[in-house]
Amino acid sequence: MLCFIPDGRVLIDYASGITQHHKLQYGKQVDIELLVREISDVMQFYTRFGGVRPFAVSLIIGGIDKDGEPKLFSLDPSGIFYRYKAVVMGEGEDKITPIF
């Protein structure tokens, strides 16, 4: 599995900008699911057009929503995301995932 660390940094910087903008504009923390949707939109955008390459990174994003409920999401390079109670990613995930 090929992974580009700079792609991850770009997406994390983008997520940081979203959270800062939301805090300044609305005066409260961004909902974790909204943040994941915004990031997945960007990841999916880069799969649609020629001349740009998709992000070569998968992400696991976790957070606490406004009700105090923990949420965990997995995003793949195509921009698809899923919510999990527990998730693994990377080498050997096929061996570990059935345990959950």
Side-chain angles (χ1 to χ4, degrees):
M1 181 173 176
L2 184 61
C3 180
F4 294 125
I5 304 265
D7 286 359
R9 287 189 184 134
V10 167
L11 291 170
I12 295 303
D13 288 346
Y14 180 75
S16 178
I18 291 170
T19 58
Q20 291 173 14
H21 180 265
H22 195 275
K23 181 76 171 175
L24 288 172
Q25 187 167 3
Y26 301 108
K28 59 183 180 178
Q29 302 264 339
V30 67
D31 183 57
I32 188 68
E33 190 166 344
L34 177 65
L35 177 65
V36 169
R37 285 181 189 275
E38 291 284 334
I39 296 169
S40 72
D41 286 347
V42 170
M43 292 175 81
Q44 200 277 329
F45 177 81
Y46 278 84
T47 65
R48 291 187 285 183
F49 301 104
V52 295
R53 67 171 176 79
F55 287 98
V57 64
S58 296
L59 299 173
I60 296 176
I61 299 177
I64 308 285
D65 69 1
K66 59 186 169 200
D67 298 329
E69 181 185 359
K71 292 184 177 178
L72 185 66
F73 295 91
S74 168
L75 290 91
D76 69 6
S78 68
I80 296 173
F81 68 93
Y82 297 101
R83 184 173 173 198
Y84 292 97
K85 293 187 185 233
V87 66
V88 294
M89 191 178 290
E91 188 175 340
E93 73 180 270
D94 297 335
K95 296 175 188 171
I96 297 171
T97 302
I99 295 171
F100 295 129

